[in-house]
Amino acid sequence: MTKENWEAYLNKDFQVQVDHRNAVDMNLVSVSGFGRRLNGGREAYSLLFQGPGQPVLVQRIYRIQQSQLGSMDIFLVPVGKEAGGIQYEAVFT
């Protein structure tokens, strides 16, 4: 997927599968390009998700699901605490 594909899902809700029984709801709050193109012409970019204050997820690959997008595995890294909870970043290069 490209940065432009993800922009259609800004402010949409996602479910992040924590383990076999538990999922956490998150919202895609930002899609940011890095302004440089990769060999295939695609721009490197990052996604920023807002999750709840608890649980704080460790950095690793998670299965995420969105009703229109379906599901996929992405690497999430906790990057900060905001008033509404914890923010997580996924970087695509």
Side-chain angles (χ1 to χ4, degrees):
M1 294 211 8
T2 65
K3 174 183 155 258
E4 291 75 20
N5 295 129
W6 282 102
E7 287 172 343
Y9 298 97
L10 267 172
N11 302 309
K12 301 283 186 187
D13 292 326
F14 287 77
Q15 281 198 315
V16 178
Q17 198 68 39
V18 178
D19 57 33
H20 295 295
R21 291 185 224 154
N22 300 300
V24 172
D25 292 328
M26 292 193 191
N27 187 273
L28 180 60
V29 296
S30 174
V31 178
S32 301
F34 295 142
R36 61 184 168 101
R37 299 274 174 196
L38 303 173
N39 290 339
R42 181 175 55 102
E43 182 179 8
Y45 62 94
S46 71
L47 307 176
L48 192 63
F49 292 91
Q50 177 76 37
Q54 292 292 324
V56 177
L57 305 181
V58 299
Q59 71 177 28
R60 71 174 177 89
I61 297 172
Y62 291 93
R63 168 76 38 119
I64 66 165
Q65 185 169 352
Q66 200 279 332
S67 60
Q68 297 166 324
L69 183 61
S71 64
M72 68 181 64
D73 295 333
I74 63 171
F75 189 79
L76 292 176
V77 177
V79 293
K81 185 173 184 174
E82 297 292 322
I86 306 296
Q87 292 191 332
Y88 298 87
E89 185 177 42
V91 176
F92 296 86
T93 59

Coordinates of all heavy atoms in Angstrom, one line a residue:
M1 N 0.8 -1.2 0.0 CA 0.0 0.0 0.0 C 0.9 1.3 0.0 O 2.0 1.2 0.5 CB -0.9 0.0 1.2 CG -1.9 -1.1 1.2 SD -3.5 -0.9 2.0 CE -3.7 0.8 2.5
T2 N 0.4 2.3 -0.6 CA 1.1 3.6 -0.6 C 0.5 4.5 0.4 O -0.5 4.3 1.0 CB 0.9 4.2 -2.0 OG1 -0.4 4.6 -2.2 CG2 1.4 3.3 -3.1
K3 N 1.3 5.6 0.6 CA 0.8 6.7 1.5 C -0.6 7.1 1.1 O -1.5 7.3 2.0 CB 1.8 7.8 1.4 CG 1.4 9.0 2.2 CD 2.5 10.1 2.0 CE 1.9 11.5 2.2 NZ 1.6 12.2 1.0
E4 N -0.8 7.3 -0.2 CA -2.1 7.8 -0.7 C -3.2 6.8 -0.3 O -4.3 7.2 0.0 CB -2.0 8.1 -2.2 CG -1.2 9.2 -2.6 CD 0.3 9.0 -2.5 OE1 0.8 7.8 -2.5 OE2 1.1 9.9 -2.4
N5 N -2.9 5.5 -0.4 CA -3.9 4.5 -0.1 C -4.4 4.6 1.4 O -5.6 4.6 1.7 CB -3.4 3.1 -0.3 CG -3.1 2.7 -1.7 OD1 -2.1 2.2 -2.0 ND2 -4.1 3.0 -2.6
W6 N -3.4 4.8 2.3 CA -3.7 4.9 3.7 C -4.4 6.2 4.0 O -5.2 6.2 5.0 CB -2.4 4.9 4.5 CG -1.8 3.5 4.7 CD1 -0.8 3.0 4.0 CD2 -2.3 2.5 5.5 NE1 -0.6 1.7 4.4 CE2 -1.5 1.4 5.3 CE3 -3.3 2.4 6.5 CZ2 -1.7 0.2 6.0 CZ3 -3.5 1.3 7.2 CH2 -2.7 0.2 7.0
E7 N -4.2 7.3 3.3 CA -4.9 8.5 3.6 C -6.4 8.4 3.6 O -7.2 9.1 4.3 CB -4.5 9.6 2.6 CG -3.1 10.1 2.9 CD -2.5 11.0 1.9 OE1 -3.0 11.1 0.8 OE2 -1.5 11.7 2.2
A8 N -7.0 7.4 2.8 CA -8.4 7.2 2.8 C -8.9 6.6 4.1 O -10.1 6.6 4.4 CB -8.7 6.2 1.7
Y9 N -8.0 6.2 5.0 CA -8.4 5.6 6.3 C -8.1 6.4 7.5 O -8.2 6.0 8.6 CB -7.7 4.2 6.4 CG -8.2 3.3 5.3 CD1 -7.4 3.1 4.2 CD2 -9.4 2.6 5.4 CE1 -7.9 2.3 3.2 CE2 -9.9 1.8 4.4 CZ -9.1 1.6 3.3 OH -9.6 0.8 2.3
L10 N -7.7 7.7 7.2 CA -7.4 8.6 8.3 C -8.7 8.8 9.2 O -9.8 8.9 8.6 CB -7.1 10.0 7.7 CG -5.6 10.3 7.6 CD1 -5.4 11.6 6.9 CD2 -4.8 10.3 8.9
N11 N -8.5 8.8 10.5 CA -9.6 8.9 11.4 C -10.5 7.8 11.4 O -11.7 7.9 11.9 CB -10.3 10.3 11.3 CG -9.4 11.4 11.4 OD1 -8.6 11.5 12.3 ND2 -9.4 12.3 10.4
K12 N -10.1 6.6 10.9 CA -10.9 5.4 10.9 C -10.4 4.5 12.1 O -9.2 4.6 12.5 CB -10.8 4.6 9.6 CG -11.2 5.4 8.4 CD -12.7 5.5 8.3 CE -13.0 6.1 6.9 NZ -14.4 6.4 6.8
D13 N -11.3 3.7 12.5 CA -11.0 2.8 13.6 C -10.4 1.5 13.1 O -10.8 0.9 12.1 CB -12.2 2.5 14.5 CG -12.7 3.7 15.2 OD1 -11.9 4.5 15.6 OD2 -13.9 3.9 15.4
F14 N -9.4 1.0 13.9 CA -8.7 -0.3 13.6 C -8.7 -1.1 14.8 O -8.8 -0.6 15.9 CB -7.3 0.0 13.2 CG -7.1 0.5 11.8 CD1 -7.3 1.9 11.6 CD2 -6.7 -0.2 10.8 CE1 -7.1 2.4 10.3 CE2 -6.5 0.3 9.5 CZ -6.7 1.6 9.3
Q15 N -8.7 -2.4 14.6 CA -8.5 -3.3 15.8 C -7.2 -3.9 15.7 O -6.8 -4.4 14.6 CB -9.6 -4.4 15.8 CG -10.9 -4.0 16.3 CD -11.7 -5.2 16.7 OE1 -11.8 -6.2 16.0 NE2 -12.4 -5.2 17.9
V16 N -6.4 -3.9 16.8 CA -5.1 -4.5 16.8 C -5.1 -5.7 17.7 O -5.5 -5.7 18.8 CB -4.1 -3.5 17.4 CG1 -2.7 -4.1 17.5 CG2 -4.0 -2.2 16.5
Q17 N -4.8 -6.9 17.1 CA -4.9 -8.2 17.8 C -3.7 -8.3 18.7 O -2.5 -8.4 18.2 CB -4.9 -9.3 16.8 CG -5.4 -10.6 17.3 CD -6.9 -10.5 17.7 OE1 -7.7 -9.9 17.0 NE2 -7.2 -11.1 18.8
V18 N -3.9 -8.3 20.0 CA -2.8 -8.4 21.0 C -2.4 -9.8 21.2 O -1.2 -10.1 21.3 CB -3.3 -7.7 22.3 CG1 -2.2 -7.9 23.4 CG2 -3.7 -6.3 22.1
D19 N -3.4 -10.7 21.3 CA -3.1 -12.2 21.4 C -4.3 -12.9 20.8 O -5.2 -12.3 20.2 CB -2.8 -12.6 22.8 CG -3.9 -12.2 23.8 OD1 -5.0 -12.2 23.5 OD2 -3.5 -11.9 25.0
H20 N -4.4 -14.2 21.1 CA -5.5 -15.0 20.5 C -6.9 -14.6 21.0 O -7.9 -14.8 20.3 CB -5.3 -16.5 20.7 CG -4.0 -17.0 20.0 ND1 -3.9 -17.0 18.7 CD2 -2.9 -17.4 20.5 CE1 -2.7 -17.5 18.4 NE2 -2.1 -17.8 19.5
R21 N -6.9 -13.9 22.1 CA -8.2 -13.6 22.7 C -8.5 -12.1 22.8 O -9.7 -11.7 22.9 CB -8.3 -14.1 24.2 CG -8.4 -15.6 24.2 CD -8.6 -16.0 25.7 NE -7.7 -17.2 25.9 CZ -7.2 -17.5 27.1 NH1 -7.5 -16.8 28.1 NH2 -6.4 -18.5 27.2
N22 N -7.5 -11.3 22.7 CA -7.7 -9.9 23.0 C -7.3 -9.0 21.9 O -6.3 -9.2 21.2 CB -6.9 -9.5 24.3 CG -7.3 -10.2 25.5 OD1 -8.4 -10.2 25.9 ND2 -6.3 -11.0 26.1
A23 N -8.1 -7.9 21.7 CA -7.8 -6.9 20.6 C -7.9 -5.5 21.3 O -8.6 -5.4 22.3 CB -8.7 -7.0 19.4
V24 N -7.2 -4.5 20.7 CA -7.3 -3.2 21.2 C -7.7 -2.3 20.1 O -7.3 -2.5 18.9 CB -5.9 -2.7 21.7 CG1 -5.8 -1.2 22.0 CG2 -5.4 -3.5 22.9
D25 N -8.7 -1.4 20.3 CA -9.1 -0.4 19.3 C -8.2 0.7 19.2 O -7.7 1.3 20.2 CB -10.5 0.1 19.7 CG -11.6 -1.0 19.6 OD1 -11.4 -1.9 18.8 OD2 -12.6 -0.9 20.4
M26 N -7.8 1.1 18.0 CA -7.0 2.2 17.7 C -7.6 3.0 16.6 O -8.4 2.5 15.8 CB -5.5 1.8 17.4 CG -4.8 1.2 18.5 SD -3.1 1.1 18.1 CE -2.5 0.0 19.4
N27 N -7.1 4.3 16.5 CA -7.6 5.2 15.4 C -6.4 5.7 14.6 O -5.4 6.1 15.3 CB -8.3 6.4 16.0 CG -9.0 7.2 15.0 OD1 -8.3 8.2 14.5 ND2 -10.2 7.0 14.7
L28 N -6.4 5.7 13.3 CA -5.4 6.2 12.5 C -5.5 7.7 12.5 O -6.4 8.3 11.9 CB -5.5 5.6 11.1 CG -4.4 6.1 10.1 CD1 -3.0 5.7 10.6 CD2 -4.6 5.5 8.7
V29 N -4.5 8.4 13.1 CA -4.6 9.8 13.3 C -3.7 10.6 12.4 O -3.8 11.8 12.2 CB -4.3 10.2 14.8 CG1 -5.4 9.7 15.7 CG2 -2.9 9.8 15.3
S30 N -2.7 9.9 11.7 CA -1.8 10.7 10.9 C -1.2 9.8 9.8 O -0.8 8.6 10.1 CB -0.7 11.3 11.7 OG 0.3 11.9 10.9
V31 N -1.0 10.3 8.6 CA -0.2 9.6 7.6 C 0.7 10.7 7.1 O 0.3 11.7 6.6 CB -1.2 9.2 6.4 CG1 -0.3 8.5 5.3 CG2 -2.2 8.2 6.9
S32 N 2.0 10.4 7.2 CA 3.0 11.4 6.9 C 4.1 10.9 5.9 O 4.7 9.8 6.2 CB 3.8 11.9 8.1 OG 2.9 12.4 9.1
G33 N 4.3 11.6 4.8 CA 5.4 11.2 3.9 C 6.7 11.8 4.3 O 6.7 12.8 5.0
F34 N 7.8 11.1 3.9 CA 9.1 11.6 4.3 C 9.7 12.5 3.2 O 10.8 12.9 3.3 CB 10.0 10.4 4.6 CG 9.6 9.6 5.8 CD1 9.8 8.3 5.8 CD2 9.1 10.3 6.9 CE1 9.4 7.5 6.9 CE2 8.8 9.6 8.0 CZ 8.9 8.2 8.0
G35 N 9.0 12.6 2.1 CA 9.5 13.5 1.0 C 10.6 12.9 0.1 O 11.1 13.6 -0.7
R36 N 10.8 11.6 0.3 CA 11.8 11.0 -0.6 C 11.2 9.8 -1.2 O 10.4 9.0 -0.6 CB 13.1 10.7 0.1 CG 13.0 9.7 1.3 CD 14.3 9.5 2.0 NE 14.0 8.8 3.2 CZ 14.3 7.5 3.4 NH1 14.8 6.8 2.4 NH2 14.0 6.9 4.5
R37 N 11.6 9.5 -2.5 CA 11.1 8.4 -3.2 C 12.0 7.2 -3.2 O 13.3 7.4 -3.1 CB 10.9 8.8 -4.7 CG 9.9 9.9 -4.9 CD 8.5 9.4 -5.0 NE 7.6 10.5 -5.0 CZ 6.3 10.4 -4.8 NH1 5.8 9.2 -4.5 NH2 5.5 11.4 -4.9
L38 N 11.5 6.1 -3.1 CA 12.3 4.9 -3.1 C 12.6 4.4 -4.5 O 12.1 5.0 -5.5 CB 11.6 3.8 -2.3 CG 11.2 4.2 -0.9 CD1 10.4 3.1 -0.2 CD2 12.5 4.4 -0.1
N39 N 13.3 3.4 -4.7 CA 13.7 2.9 -6.1 C 12.5 2.7 -7.0 O 12.5 3.0 -8.1 CB 14.5 1.6 -6.0 CG 15.9 1.9 -5.4 OD1 16.4 3.0 -5.4 ND2 16.5 0.9 -4.9
G40 N 11.4 2.2 -6.4 CA 10.2 1.9 -7.2 C 9.4 3.1 -7.5 O 8.3 3.1 -8.1
G41 N 9.8 4.3 -6.9 CA 9.0 5.5 -7.1 C 8.0 5.8 -6.0 O 7.4 6.8 -6.0
R42 N 7.9 4.8 -5.1 CA 6.9 5.0 -4.0 C 7.6 5.8 -2.9 O 8.8 5.7 -2.5 CB 6.6 3.6 -3.4 CG 5.6 3.7 -2.3 CD 5.1 2.2 -1.9 NE 6.3 1.4 -1.6 CZ 6.7 1.1 -0.3 NH1 6.0 1.5 0.7 NH2 7.7 0.3 -0.1
E43 N 6.8 6.7 -2.2 CA 7.3 7.6 -1.2 C 7.4 6.8 0.1 O 6.4 6.1 0.5 CB 6.5 8.8 -1.0 CG 6.9 9.8 0.0 CD 6.0 11.0 0.2 OE1 5.0 11.0 -0.4 OE2 6.4 11.9 0.9
A44 N 8.5 7.0 0.9 CA 8.5 6.4 2.2 C 7.6 7.2 3.1 O 7.4 8.4 2.9 CB 9.9 6.5 2.8
Y45 N 6.9 6.6 4.1 CA 5.9 7.2 4.9 C 5.7 6.5 6.2 O 6.2 5.4 6.5 CB 4.5 7.3 4.2 CG 4.0 5.9 3.9 CD1 3.1 5.3 4.7 CD2 4.3 5.2 2.7 CE1 2.5 4.1 4.5 CE2 3.8 4.0 2.4 CZ 2.9 3.4 3.3 OH 2.4 2.2 3.1
S46 N 5.0 7.2 7.1 CA 4.7 6.6 8.4 C 3.2 6.8 8.7 O 2.6 7.7 8.3 CB 5.5 7.2 9.5 OG 5.1 8.6 9.8
L47 N 2.7 5.9 9.6 CA 1.4 5.9 10.1 C 1.4 6.1 11.6 O 2.3 5.6 12.2 CB 0.6 4.6 9.8 CG 0.6 4.1 8.4 CD1 -0.1 2.7 8.3 CD2 0.0 5.1 7.4
L48 N 0.5 6.9 12.1 CA 0.5 7.1 13.5 C -0.9 6.7 14.0 O -1.9 7.3 13.5 CB 0.8 8.6 13.9 CG 1.0 8.9 15.4 CD1 2.2 8.2 15.9 CD2 1.1 10.4 15.6
F49 N -1.0 5.8 14.9 CA -2.2 5.3 15.5 C -2.3 5.8 16.9 O -1.3 5.8 17.7 CB -2.2 3.8 15.5 CG -2.3 3.2 14.1 CD1 -1.2 2.8 13.5 CD2 -3.5 2.9 13.6 CE1 -1.2 2.2 12.2 CE2 -3.6 2.3 12.3 CZ -2.5 2.0 11.6
Q50 N -3.5 6.1 17.4 CA -3.8 6.5 18.7 C -4.5 5.3 19.4 O -5.6 4.9 18.9 CB -4.7 7.7 18.8 CG -5.1 8.1 20.2 CD -4.0 8.8 21.0 OE1 -3.2 9.6 20.4 NE2 -3.9 8.6 22.2
G51 N -4.0 4.8 20.5 CA -4.6 3.7 21.2 C -4.9 4.1 22.6 O -4.6 5.2 23.0
P52 N -5.5 3.2 23.4 CA -5.8 3.6 24.8 C -4.6 3.6 25.7 O -3.5 3.2 25.3 CB -6.7 2.4 25.2 CG -6.3 1.2 24.4 CD -5.9 1.9 23.0
G53 N -4.8 4.2 26.9 CA -3.6 4.3 27.8 C -3.2 2.9 28.3 O -2.0 2.8 28.6
Q54 N -4.0 2.0 28.4 CA -3.7 0.6 28.8 C -4.4 -0.4 27.9 O -5.6 -0.1 27.5 CB -4.1 0.4 30.3 CG -3.3 1.2 31.2 CD -1.8 0.8 31.3 OE1 -1.5 -0.4 31.2 NE2 -0.9 1.7 31.5
P55 N -3.8 -1.5 27.6 CA -2.5 -1.9 27.8 C -1.5 -1.1 26.9 O -1.9 -0.7 25.8 CB -2.4 -3.4 27.5 CG -3.4 -3.5 26.4 CD -4.5 -2.5 26.7
V56 N -0.3 -1.0 27.3 CA 0.8 -0.4 26.5 C 1.4 -1.6 25.7 O 1.9 -2.5 26.3 CB 1.9 0.3 27.3 CG1 3.0 0.9 26.4 CG2 1.2 1.5 28.1
L57 N 1.3 -1.5 24.4 CA 1.8 -2.6 23.6 C 3.3 -2.5 23.4 O 3.8 -1.3 23.1 CB 1.1 -2.7 22.2 CG -0.5 -2.7 22.3 CD1 -1.0 -2.8 20.9 CD2 -0.9 -3.9 23.1
V58 N 4.0 -3.6 23.4 CA 5.5 -3.5 23.1 C 5.6 -3.5 21.6 O 4.7 -3.8 20.8 CB 6.2 -4.8 23.7 CG1 6.1 -4.8 25.2 CG2 5.7 -6.0 23.0
Q59 N 6.8 -3.0 21.1 CA 7.0 -3.0 19.7 C 7.2 -4.4 19.1 O 7.9 -5.2 19.7 CB 8.3 -2.1 19.3 CG 9.6 -2.7 19.7 CD 10.7 -1.8 19.2 OE1 10.6 -0.6 19.1 NE2 11.9 -2.4 19.0
R60 N 6.4 -4.7 18.1 CA 6.4 -6.0 17.4 C 5.4 -5.9 16.3 O 4.7 -5.0 16.1 CB 6.2 -7.1 18.4 CG 4.7 -7.3 18.9 CD 4.6 -8.5 19.7 NE 3.3 -8.7 20.2 CZ 2.2 -9.3 19.6 NH1 2.4 -9.8 18.4 NH2 1.1 -9.4 20.3
I61 N 5.4 -7.0 15.6 CA 4.4 -7.1 14.5 C 3.0 -7.5 15.1 O 2.9 -8.5 15.9 CB 4.8 -8.2 13.5 CG1 6.2 -7.8 12.8 CG2 3.8 -8.4 12.4 CD1 6.8 -8.8 11.9
Y62 N 2.0 -6.8 14.7 CA 0.6 -7.1 15.1 C -0.3 -7.2 13.9 O 0.0 -6.6 12.8 CB 0.1 -5.9 15.9 CG 0.7 -5.7 17.3 CD1 1.8 -4.9 17.4 CD2 0.2 -6.4 18.4 CE1 2.4 -4.7 18.7 CE2 0.8 -6.3 19.6 CZ 1.9 -5.4 19.8 OH 2.5 -5.3 21.0
R63 N -1.3 -8.0 14.0 CA -2.3 -8.2 13.0 C -3.3 -7.0 13.3 O -3.8 -6.9 14.4 CB -3.0 -9.5 13.1 CG -4.3 -9.7 12.4 CD -4.2 -9.9 10.9 NE -3.1 -10.7 10.4 CZ -3.2 -11.9 9.7 NH1 -4.4 -12.4 9.5 NH2 -2.1 -12.5 9.3
I64 N -3.5 -6.2 12.3 CA -4.5 -5.1 12.4 C -5.6 -5.4 11.4 O -5.5 -6.0 10.4 CB -3.9 -3.7 12.1 CG1 -3.5 -3.6 10.7 CG2 -2.7 -3.4 13.1 CD1 -3.2 -2.1 10.3
Q65 N -6.8 -4.9 11.8 CA -8.0 -5.1 11.0 C -8.8 -3.9 10.9 O -9.0 -3.2 12.0 CB -8.8 -6.3 11.5 CG -10.0 -6.6 10.7 CD -10.7 -7.9 11.1 OE1 -10.2 -8.7 11.9 NE2 -11.8 -8.2 10.5
Q66 N -9.4 -3.6 9.8 CA -10.2 -2.5 9.6 C -11.4 -2.9 8.7 O -11.2 -3.7 7.7 CB -9.5 -1.3 8.9 CG -10.1 0.1 9.1 CD -11.2 0.3 8.1 OE1 -11.2 -0.2 7.0 NE2 -12.1 1.2 8.5
S67 N -12.6 -2.5 9.0 CA -13.8 -3.1 8.3 C -13.7 -3.0 6.8 O -14.1 -3.9 6.1 CB -15.1 -2.5 8.8 OG -15.1 -1.1 8.6
Q68 N -13.2 -1.9 6.2 CA -13.2 -1.8 4.8 C -11.9 -2.3 4.2 O -11.9 -2.8 3.0 CB -13.4 -0.3 4.4 CG -14.7 0.3 4.8 CD -14.7 1.8 4.7 OE1 -13.7 2.4 5.0 NE2 -15.8 2.3 4.3
L69 N -10.8 -2.2 4.9 CA -9.5 -2.5 4.4 C -9.2 -4.0 4.6 O -8.4 -4.6 3.8 CB -8.4 -1.7 5.2 CG -7.0 -1.9 4.8 CD1 -6.8 -1.5 3.4 CD2 -6.1 -1.0 5.7
G70 N -9.8 -4.7 5.6 CA -9.4 -6.1 5.8 C -8.3 -6.1 6.9 O -8.2 -5.2 7.7
S71 N -7.5 -7.2 6.8 CA -6.5 -7.3 7.8 C -5.1 -7.5 7.2 O -5.0 -7.9 6.1 CB -6.8 -8.5 8.8 OG -6.8 -9.7 8.0
M72 N -4.1 -7.1 8.0 CA -2.7 -7.2 7.6 C -1.8 -7.2 8.8 O -2.3 -6.8 9.9 CB -2.3 -6.1 6.6 CG -2.3 -4.8 7.2 SD -1.9 -3.5 6.0 CE -3.3 -3.6 4.9
D73 N -0.6 -7.6 8.6 CA 0.4 -7.5 9.7 C 1.3 -6.4 9.5 O 1.8 -6.2 8.4 CB 1.2 -8.8 9.7 CG 0.4 -10.1 10.1 OD1 -0.6 -9.9 10.7 OD2 0.8 -11.2 9.6
I74 N 1.5 -5.5 10.6 CA 2.4 -4.4 10.5 C 3.2 -4.3 11.8 O 2.7 -4.8 12.9 CB 1.7 -3.1 10.2 CG1 0.7 -2.6 11.3 CG2 1.0 -3.1 8.8 CD1 0.2 -1.2 11.1
F75 N 4.3 -3.7 11.7 CA 5.2 -3.5 12.9 C 4.9 -2.2 13.5 O 5.0 -1.1 12.9 CB 6.7 -3.5 12.4 CG 7.7 -3.6 13.5 CD1 8.0 -4.7 14.2 CD2 8.3 -2.4 13.9 CE1 8.9 -4.8 15.2 CE2 9.3 -2.4 14.9 CZ 9.6 -3.6 15.6
L76 N 4.4 -2.2 14.8 CA 4.1 -1.0 15.5 C 5.1 -0.8 16.6 O 5.5 -1.7 17.3 CB 2.7 -1.2 16.2 CG 1.5 -1.3 15.2 CD1 0.2 -1.5 16.0 CD2 1.4 0.0 14.4
V77 N 5.4 0.5 16.8 CA 6.3 0.9 17.9 C 5.6 2.0 18.7 O 5.1 3.0 18.1 CB 7.6 1.5 17.2 CG1 8.5 2.1 18.3 CG2 8.3 0.5 16.4
P78 N 5.6 1.8 20.0 CA 5.0 2.9 20.9 C 6.0 4.1 20.8 O 7.2 4.0 21.0 CB 4.9 2.3 22.3 CG 5.9 1.2 22.2 CD 6.0 0.7 20.8
V79 N 5.4 5.3 20.5 CA 6.3 6.5 20.4 C 6.0 7.6 21.3 O 6.7 8.6 21.4 CB 6.3 7.0 18.9 CG1 6.9 6.0 18.0 CG2 4.9 7.3 18.5
G80 N 4.9 7.5 22.1 CA 4.6 8.6 23.0 C 3.2 8.5 23.7 O 2.4 7.7 23.2
K81 N 3.1 9.2 24.7 CA 1.9 9.2 25.5 C 1.2 10.6 25.3 O 1.8 11.6 25.5 CB 2.2 9.0 27.0 CG 0.9 8.8 27.8 CD 1.3 8.4 29.2 CE 0.0 8.2 30.0 NZ 0.3 7.7 31.3
E82 N 0.0 10.5 24.9 CA -0.9 11.7 24.8 C -2.0 11.7 25.8 O -2.2 10.6 26.5 CB -1.5 11.8 23.4 CG -0.4 11.9 22.3 CD 0.3 13.2 22.3 OE1 -0.3 14.3 22.5 OE2 1.5 13.2 22.0
A83 N -2.7 12.7 25.9 CA -3.8 12.8 26.9 C -4.8 11.7 26.7 O -5.4 11.1 27.6 CB -4.5 14.2 26.8
G84 N -5.0 11.3 25.4 CA -6.0 10.3 25.1 C -5.5 8.9 25.1 O -6.2 7.9 24.9
G85 N -4.2 8.7 25.4 CA -3.6 7.3 25.4 C -2.2 7.3 24.8 O -1.5 8.3 24.8
I86 N -1.9 6.1 24.2 CA -0.6 5.9 23.7 C -0.6 6.0 22.2 O -1.6 5.5 21.6 CB -0.1 4.5 24.1 CG1 -0.1 4.3 25.6 CG2 1.3 4.2 23.6 CD1 0.8 5.2 26.4
Q87 N 0.4 6.5 21.6 CA 0.5 6.6 20.1 C 1.5 5.6 19.7 O 2.6 5.4 20.3 CB 0.9 8.0 19.6 CG -0.2 9.0 19.9 CD 0.0 10.3 19.2 OE1 1.1 10.7 19.0 NE2 -1.1 11.0 18.9
Y88 N 1.2 5.0 18.5 CA 2.1 3.9 17.9 C 2.4 4.3 16.5 O 1.5 4.8 15.8 CB 1.4 2.6 17.9 CG 1.0 2.1 19.3 CD1 -0.1 2.5 20.0 CD2 1.9 1.3 20.0 CE1 -0.4 2.1 21.3 CE2 1.7 0.9 21.3 CZ 0.5 1.3 21.9 OH 0.2 0.9 23.2
E89 N 3.6 4.1 16.0 CA 4.0 4.4 14.7 C 4.4 3.1 13.9 O 5.0 2.2 14.4 CB 5.2 5.3 14.7 CG 5.6 5.8 13.3 CD 6.8 6.8 13.4 OE1 7.7 6.6 14.2 OE2 6.7 7.8 12.7
A90 N 4.0 3.2 12.6 CA 4.5 2.2 11.7 C 5.1 2.9 10.5 O 4.6 3.9 10.0 CB 3.3 1.4 11.1
V91 N 6.4 2.5 10.2 CA 7.2 3.2 9.1 C 7.3 2.2 7.9 O 7.6 1.0 8.1 CB 8.6 3.6 9.7 CG1 9.4 4.2 8.6 CG2 8.4 4.5 10.8
F92 N 7.0 2.8 6.8 CA 7.1 2.0 5.5 C 8.2 2.7 4.6 O 8.1 3.8 4.3 CB 5.8 2.0 4.8 CG 4.7 1.3 5.6 CD1 4.0 1.9 6.5 CD2 4.5 -0.1 5.4 CE1 3.0 1.3 7.3 CE2 3.5 -0.8 6.1 CZ 2.8 -0.1 7.0
T93 N 9.3 1.9 4.3 CA 10.3 2.4 3.5 C 10.5 1.6 2.2 O 9.9 0.6 2.1 CB 11.7 2.5 4.2 OG1 12.0 1.1 4.6 CG2 11.6 3.4 5.4

